Amino acid sequence: MRRLKVYFFIYTKNVWIMRFNEYRIMWILVLFDLPTETPKEKKAYTRFRKELLKDGFSMFQFSIYVRHCSSRENKNVHVKRIKEILPEKGHVGILSITDKQFGMMEIFYGKKEEDGFIEPHQLELF
């Protein structure tokens, strides 16, 4: 079964502009639990974490990293990069959600509710 790609375009000043909306913009969450008992395992953990940071991910919680992606295609590129750096041992989960779903997240620090917005590190031009 083939999936149809749906794009929203706006026509302005004799130019068609692709409109990004909250259902097209994606967030990637990487959840991992890696062993750190031996020096080799600690090195693998550190390497994996540093590669995530180098790829533009931000720490959301310990062992949970998030990244904003401007499209599903961009998300696929970053998911592929994660799969290339997976360590030999441990558990890694990759969850992709839309910006709309991410915006519905409720975040608490203790009993105090905080704003759920995470500022992306990378400037994205639309």
Side-chain angles (χ1 to χ4, degrees), residues 98-116:
T98 64
D99 192 47
K100 178 76 172 177
Q101 292 168 322
F102 189 85
M104 293 187 301
M105 185 184 324
E106 295 183 71
I107 300 173
F108 296 89
Y109 290 99
K111 291 190 178 194
K112 182 180 173 190
E113 186 172 5
E114 294 288 327
D115 183 21

Side-chain angles (χ1 to χ4, degrees), residues 6-63:
V6 179
Y7 296 97
F8 298 95
F9 290 92
I10 300 172
Y11 187 73
T12 180
K13 296 182 184 178
N14 298 327
V15 177
W16 284 97
I17 301 172
M18 187 183 334
R19 181 176 159 221
F20 292 94
N21 67 16
E22 56 196 9
Y23 295 102
R24 181 163 167 71
I25 296 171
M26 302 292 295
W27 285 86
I28 304 172
L29 286 83
V30 179
L31 310 99
F32 58 92
D33 185 18
L34 303 177
T36 56
E37 295 176 5
T38 67
K40 185 178 178 181
E41 291 172 343
K42 286 180 185 177
K43 187 173 183 176
Y45 166 83
T46 303
R47 180 183 163 273
F48 182 70
R49 186 181 167 283
K50 285 185 178 180
E51 288 293 327
L52 287 176
L53 293 171
K54 194 162 64 171
D55 195 28
F57 283 83
S58 302
M59 186 171 76
F60 185 73
Q61 289 184 353
F62 296 119
S63 299

Side-chain angles (χ1 to χ4, degrees), residues 83-98:
K83 290 178 180 179
E84 290 173 356
I85 62 167
L86 288 174
E88 291 181 23
K89 295 181 181 178
H91 298 255
V92 178
I94 302 170
L95 176 64
S96 301
I97 59 174
T98 64

